[in-house]
PDB file of all heavy atoms in Angstrom:
ATOM      1  N   GLU A  28      -3.046  23.447   0.663  1.00  0.00           N
ATOM      2  CA  GLU A  28      -2.426  24.632   0.031  1.00  0.00           C
ATOM      3  C   GLU A  28      -3.487  25.365  -0.778  1.00  0.00           C
ATOM      4  O   GLU A  28      -4.151  24.760  -1.618  1.00  0.00           O
ATOM      5  CB  GLU A  28      -1.270  24.159  -0.875  1.00  0.00           C
ATOM      6  CG  GLU A  28      -0.625  25.218  -1.727  1.00  0.00           C
ATOM      7  CD  GLU A  28      -0.024  26.374  -0.948  1.00  0.00           C
ATOM      8  OE1 GLU A  28       1.063  26.198  -0.370  1.00  0.00           O
ATOM      9  OE2 GLU A  28      -0.653  27.457  -0.929  1.00  0.00           O
ATOM     10  N   ASN A  33       1.399  26.609  -6.108  1.00  0.00           N
ATOM     11  CA  ASN A  33       2.152  25.886  -5.078  1.00  0.00           C
ATOM     12  C   ASN A  33       1.631  24.464  -4.919  1.00  0.00           C
ATOM     13  O   ASN A  33       2.398  23.525  -4.746  1.00  0.00           O
ATOM     14  CB  ASN A  33       2.070  26.607  -3.734  1.00  0.00           C
ATOM     15  CG  ASN A  33       2.888  27.876  -3.728  1.00  0.00           C
ATOM     16  OD1 ASN A  33       3.800  28.035  -4.528  1.00  0.00           O
ATOM     17  ND2 ASN A  33       2.554  28.791  -2.832  1.00  0.00           N
ATOM     18  N   LEU A  36       2.868  22.443  -7.774  1.00  0.00           N
ATOM     19  CA  LEU A  36       4.300  22.181  -7.612  1.00  0.00           C
ATOM     20  C   LEU A  36       4.539  21.034  -6.621  1.00  0.00           C
ATOM     21  O   LEU A  36       5.302  20.103  -6.908  1.00  0.00           O
ATOM     22  CB  LEU A  36       5.007  23.445  -7.120  1.00  0.00           C
ATOM     23  CG  LEU A  36       6.506  23.299  -6.805  1.00  0.00           C
ATOM     24  CD1 LEU A  36       7.306  23.048  -8.076  1.00  0.00           C
ATOM     25  CD2 LEU A  36       7.041  24.549  -6.091  1.00  0.00           C
ATOM     26  N   LEU A  37       3.870  21.098  -5.478  1.00  0.00           N
ATOM     27  CA  LEU A  37       4.064  20.050  -4.459  1.00  0.00           C
ATOM     28  C   LEU A  37       3.634  18.688  -5.003  1.00  0.00           C
ATOM     29  O   LEU A  37       4.304  17.675  -4.778  1.00  0.00           O
ATOM     30  CB  LEU A  37       3.265  20.389  -3.187  1.00  0.00           C
ATOM     31  CG  LEU A  37       3.804  21.576  -2.385  1.00  0.00           C
ATOM     32  CD1 LEU A  37       2.837  21.981  -1.282  1.00  0.00           C
ATOM     33  CD2 LEU A  37       5.173  21.247  -1.775  1.00  0.00           C
ATOM     34  N   ILE A  40       6.250  17.407  -7.453  1.00  0.00           N
ATOM     35  CA  ILE A  40       7.476  16.937  -6.787  1.00  0.00           C
ATOM     36  C   ILE A  40       7.274  15.563  -6.152  1.00  0.00           C
ATOM     37  O   ILE A  40       8.149  14.700  -6.222  1.00  0.00           O
ATOM     38  CB  ILE A  40       7.919  17.921  -5.674  1.00  0.00           C
ATOM     39  CG1 ILE A  40       8.262  19.283  -6.273  1.00  0.00           C
ATOM     40  CG2 ILE A  40       9.136  17.372  -4.932  1.00  0.00           C
ATOM     41  CD1 ILE A  40       8.419  20.361  -5.211  1.00  0.00           C
ATOM     42  N   LEU A  41       6.117  15.376  -5.515  1.00  0.00           N
ATOM     43  CA  LEU A  41       5.933  14.156  -4.707  1.00  0.00           C
ATOM     44  C   LEU A  41       5.361  12.980  -5.495  1.00  0.00           C
ATOM     45  O   LEU A  41       5.557  11.821  -5.129  1.00  0.00           O
ATOM     46  CB  LEU A  41       5.044  14.462  -3.496  1.00  0.00           C
ATOM     47  CG  LEU A  41       5.684  15.420  -2.476  1.00  0.00           C
ATOM     48  CD1 LEU A  41       4.689  15.788  -1.381  1.00  0.00           C
ATOM     49  CD2 LEU A  41       6.946  14.806  -1.850  1.00  0.00           C
ATOM     50  N   MET A  70       1.205  17.961   4.598  1.00  0.00           N
ATOM     51  CA  MET A  70       1.935  19.196   4.314  1.00  0.00           C
ATOM     52  C   MET A  70       0.919  20.312   4.500  1.00  0.00           C
ATOM     53  O   MET A  70      -0.082  20.345   3.784  1.00  0.00           O
ATOM     54  CB  MET A  70       2.405  19.233   2.863  1.00  0.00           C
ATOM     55  CG  MET A  70       3.222  18.057   2.394  1.00  0.00           C
ATOM     56  SD  MET A  70       4.973  18.315   2.485  1.00  0.00           S
ATOM     57  CE  MET A  70       5.188  20.014   2.057  1.00  0.00           C
ATOM     58  N   ILE A  99       3.882  18.780   8.451  1.00  0.00           N
ATOM     59  CA  ILE A  99       4.938  19.715   8.054  1.00  0.00           C
ATOM     60  C   ILE A  99       4.312  21.058   7.743  1.00  0.00           C
ATOM     61  O   ILE A  99       3.513  21.175   6.811  1.00  0.00           O
ATOM     62  CB  ILE A  99       5.700  19.200   6.815  1.00  0.00           C
ATOM     63  CG1 ILE A  99       6.292  17.808   7.085  1.00  0.00           C
ATOM     64  CG2 ILE A  99       6.803  20.185   6.418  1.00  0.00           C
ATOM     65  CD1 ILE A  99       6.936  17.177   5.848  1.00  0.00           C
ATOM     66  N   ALA A 100       4.654  22.074   8.517  1.00  0.00           N
ATOM     67  CA  ALA A 100       4.165  23.428   8.259  1.00  0.00           C
ATOM     68  C   ALA A 100       4.935  24.025   7.092  1.00  0.00           C
ATOM     69  O   ALA A 100       6.145  23.869   6.988  1.00  0.00           O
ATOM     70  CB  ALA A 100       4.348  24.287   9.504  1.00  0.00           C
ATOM     71  N   VAL A 101       4.196  24.687   6.197  1.00  0.00           N
ATOM     72  CA  VAL A 101       4.826  25.368   5.065  1.00  0.00           C
ATOM     73  C   VAL A 101       4.369  26.822   5.110  1.00  0.00           C
ATOM     74  O   VAL A 101       3.168  27.089   5.234  1.00  0.00           O
ATOM     75  CB  VAL A 101       4.395  24.728   3.728  1.00  0.00           C
ATOM     76  CG1 VAL A 101       5.089  25.428   2.573  1.00  0.00           C
ATOM     77  CG2 VAL A 101       4.701  23.239   3.721  1.00  0.00           C
ATOM     78  N   THR A 102       5.307  27.743   5.046  1.00  0.00           N
ATOM     79  CA  THR A 102       4.889  29.132   5.147  1.00  0.00           C
ATOM     80  C   THR A 102       5.789  30.087   4.381  1.00  0.00           C
ATOM     81  O   THR A 102       6.993  29.868   4.269  1.00  0.00           O
ATOM     82  CB  THR A 102       4.781  29.591   6.617  1.00  0.00           C
ATOM     83  OG1 THR A 102       4.368  30.948   6.628  1.00  0.00           O
ATOM     84  CG2 THR A 102       6.115  29.458   7.322  1.00  0.00           C
ATOM     85  N   ALA A 103       5.167  31.140   3.869  1.00  0.00           N
ATOM     86  CA  ALA A 103       5.901  32.148   3.112  1.00  0.00           C
ATOM     87  C   ALA A 103       6.341  33.296   4.003  1.00  0.00           C
ATOM     88  O   ALA A 103       7.235  34.040   3.659  1.00  0.00           O
ATOM     89  CB  ALA A 103       5.032  32.686   1.992  1.00  0.00           C
ATOM     90  N   TYR A 121       8.996  22.682  10.018  1.00  0.00           N
ATOM     91  CA  TYR A 121       8.435  23.680   9.122  1.00  0.00           C
ATOM     92  C   TYR A 121       9.415  24.042   8.021  1.00  0.00           C
ATOM     93  O   TYR A 121      10.615  24.078   8.217  1.00  0.00           O
ATOM     94  CB  TYR A 121       7.888  24.884   9.886  1.00  0.00           C
ATOM     95  CG  TYR A 121       8.787  26.073  10.018  1.00  0.00           C
ATOM     96  CD1 TYR A 121       8.680  27.107   9.098  1.00  0.00           C
ATOM     97  CD2 TYR A 121       9.694  26.175  11.045  1.00  0.00           C
ATOM     98  CE1 TYR A 121       9.495  28.213   9.218  1.00  0.00           C
ATOM     99  CE2 TYR A 121      10.512  27.277  11.168  1.00  0.00           C
ATOM    100  CZ  TYR A 121      10.415  28.298  10.248  1.00  0.00           C
ATOM    101  OH  TYR A 121      11.213  29.391  10.363  1.00  0.00           O
ATOM    102  N   LEU A 122       8.853  24.245   6.845  1.00  0.00           N
ATOM    103  CA  LEU A 122       9.636  24.544   5.658  1.00  0.00           C
ATOM    104  C   LEU A 122       9.231  25.916   5.132  1.00  0.00           C
ATOM    105  O   LEU A 122       8.045  26.200   4.975  1.00  0.00           O
ATOM    106  CB  LEU A 122       9.366  23.513   4.560  1.00  0.00           C
ATOM    107  CG  LEU A 122       9.698  22.045   4.871  1.00  0.00           C
ATOM    108  CD1 LEU A 122       9.277  21.167   3.697  1.00  0.00           C
ATOM    109  CD2 LEU A 122      11.184  21.876   5.144  1.00  0.00           C
ATOM    110  N   PRO A 123      10.220  26.782   4.890  1.00  0.00           N
ATOM    111  CA  PRO A 123       9.899  28.094   4.324  1.00  0.00           C
ATOM    112  C   PRO A 123       9.617  27.996   2.822  1.00  0.00           C
ATOM    113  O   PRO A 123      10.170  27.130   2.140  1.00  0.00           O
ATOM    114  CB  PRO A 123      11.169  28.906   4.577  1.00  0.00           C
ATOM    115  CG  PRO A 123      12.271  27.906   4.684  1.00  0.00           C
ATOM    116  CD  PRO A 123      11.657  26.611   5.153  1.00  0.00           C
ATOM    117  N   LYS A 124       8.742  28.874   2.337  1.00  0.00           N
ATOM    118  CA  LYS A 124       8.550  29.010   0.889  1.00  0.00           C
ATOM    119  C   LYS A 124       9.568  30.020   0.375  1.00  0.00           C
ATOM    120  O   LYS A 124       9.910  30.944   1.109  1.00  0.00           O
ATOM    121  CB  LYS A 124       7.134  29.521   0.599  1.00  0.00           C
ATOM    122  CG  LYS A 124       6.067  28.478   0.789  1.00  0.00           C
ATOM    123  CD  LYS A 124       4.740  29.082   0.370  1.00  0.00           C
ATOM    124  CE  LYS A 124       3.592  28.187   0.792  1.00  0.00           C
ATOM    125  NZ  LYS A 124       2.282  28.820   0.567  1.00  0.00           N
ATOM    126  N   PRO A 125      10.061  29.950  -0.829  1.00  0.00           N
ATOM    127  CA  PRO A 125       9.728  28.888  -1.788  1.00  0.00           C
ATOM    128  C   PRO A 125      10.305  27.535  -1.357  1.00  0.00           C
ATOM    129  O   PRO A 125      11.397  27.477  -0.808  1.00  0.00           O
ATOM    130  CB  PRO A 125      10.386  29.364  -3.087  1.00  0.00           C
ATOM    131  CG  PRO A 125      11.481  30.282  -2.636  1.00  0.00           C
ATOM    132  CD  PRO A 125      11.004  30.928  -1.378  1.00  0.00           C
ATOM    133  N   ILE A 126       9.508  26.503  -1.587  1.00  0.00           N
ATOM    134  CA  ILE A 126       9.884  25.146  -1.189  1.00  0.00           C
ATOM    135  C   ILE A 126      11.169  24.718  -1.894  1.00  0.00           C
ATOM    136  O   ILE A 126      11.311  24.927  -3.102  1.00  0.00           O
ATOM    137  CB  ILE A 126       8.738  24.172  -1.548  1.00  0.00           C
ATOM    138  CG1 ILE A 126       7.575  24.349  -0.573  1.00  0.00           C
ATOM    139  CG2 ILE A 126       9.204  22.728  -1.540  1.00  0.00           C
ATOM    140  CD1 ILE A 126       7.836  23.850   0.819  1.00  0.00           C
ATOM    141  N   ASN A 127      12.083  24.151  -1.134  1.00  0.00           N
ATOM    142  CA  ASN A 127      13.299  23.568  -1.707  1.00  0.00           C
ATOM    143  C   ASN A 127      12.923  22.221  -2.331  1.00  0.00           C
ATOM    144  O   ASN A 127      12.774  21.212  -1.647  1.00  0.00           O
ATOM    145  CB  ASN A 127      14.351  23.395  -0.612  1.00  0.00           C
ATOM    146  CG  ASN A 127      15.662  22.870  -1.169  1.00  0.00           C
ATOM    147  OD1 ASN A 127      15.682  22.073  -2.111  1.00  0.00           O
ATOM    148  ND2 ASN A 127      16.759  23.307  -0.593  1.00  0.00           N
ATOM    149  N   THR A 128      12.764  22.253  -3.663  1.00  0.00           N
ATOM    150  CA  THR A 128      12.232  21.070  -4.351  1.00  0.00           C
ATOM    151  C   THR A 128      13.206  19.892  -4.330  1.00  0.00           C
ATOM    152  O   THR A 128      12.797  18.752  -4.474  1.00  0.00           O
ATOM    153  CB  THR A 128      11.904  21.412  -5.821  1.00  0.00           C
ATOM    154  OG1 THR A 128      13.057  21.981  -6.423  1.00  0.00           O
ATOM    155  CG2 THR A 128      10.754  22.396  -5.898  1.00  0.00           C
ATOM    156  N   THR A 129      14.477  20.185  -4.133  1.00  0.00           N
ATOM    157  CA  THR A 129      15.473  19.112  -4.077  1.00  0.00           C
ATOM    158  C   THR A 129      15.402  18.376  -2.749  1.00  0.00           C
ATOM    159  O   THR A 129      15.563  17.156  -2.686  1.00  0.00           O
ATOM    160  CB  THR A 129      16.894  19.696  -4.254  1.00  0.00           C
ATOM    161  OG1 THR A 129      16.852  20.636  -5.313  1.00  0.00           O
ATOM    162  CG2 THR A 129      17.896  18.619  -4.570  1.00  0.00           C
ATOM    163  N   GLU A 130      15.166  19.134  -1.684  1.00  0.00           N
ATOM    164  CA  GLU A 130      15.178  18.535  -0.344  1.00  0.00           C
ATOM    165  C   GLU A 130      13.855  17.905   0.058  1.00  0.00           C
ATOM    166  O   GLU A 130      13.829  16.967   0.864  1.00  0.00           O
ATOM    167  CB  GLU A 130      15.540  19.603   0.696  1.00  0.00           C
ATOM    168  CG  GLU A 130      17.036  19.880   0.774  1.00  0.00           C
ATOM    169  CD  GLU A 130      17.357  20.971   1.789  1.00  0.00           C
ATOM    170  OE1 GLU A 130      16.456  21.332   2.579  1.00  0.00           O
ATOM    171  OE2 GLU A 130      18.487  21.452   1.769  1.00  0.00           O
ATOM    172  N   LEU A 131      12.770  18.429  -0.480  1.00  0.00           N
ATOM    173  CA  LEU A 131      11.453  18.015   0.016  1.00  0.00           C
ATOM    174  C   LEU A 131      11.212  16.493   0.014  1.00  0.00           C
ATOM    175  O   LEU A 131      10.767  15.949   1.029  1.00  0.00           O
ATOM    176  CB  LEU A 131      10.337  18.726  -0.762  1.00  0.00           C
ATOM    177  CG  LEU A 131       8.925  18.365  -0.286  1.00  0.00           C
ATOM    178  CD1 LEU A 131       8.682  18.859   1.135  1.00  0.00           C
ATOM    179  CD2 LEU A 131       7.876  18.899  -1.223  1.00  0.00           C
ATOM    180  N   PRO A 132      11.500  15.791  -1.078  1.00  0.00           N
ATOM    181  CA  PRO A 132      11.224  14.344  -1.068  1.00  0.00           C
ATOM    182  C   PRO A 132      11.935  13.611   0.074  1.00  0.00           C
ATOM    183  O   PRO A 132      11.347  12.729   0.705  1.00  0.00           O
ATOM    184  CB  PRO A 132      11.745  13.871  -2.431  1.00  0.00           C
ATOM    185  CG  PRO A 132      11.660  15.077  -3.300  1.00  0.00           C
ATOM    186  CD  PRO A 132      11.990  16.231  -2.395  1.00  0.00           C
TER     187      PRO A 132
END
Side-chain angles (χ1 to χ4, degrees):
E28 173 59 77
N33 288 339
L36 176 68
L37 290 171
I40 297 168
L41 293 174
M70 306 264 323
I99 303 174
V101 181
T102 180
Y121 96 95
L122 299 176
K124 286 184 191 172
I126 286 289
N127 183 325
T128 54
T129 316
E130 280 178 12
L131 181 66

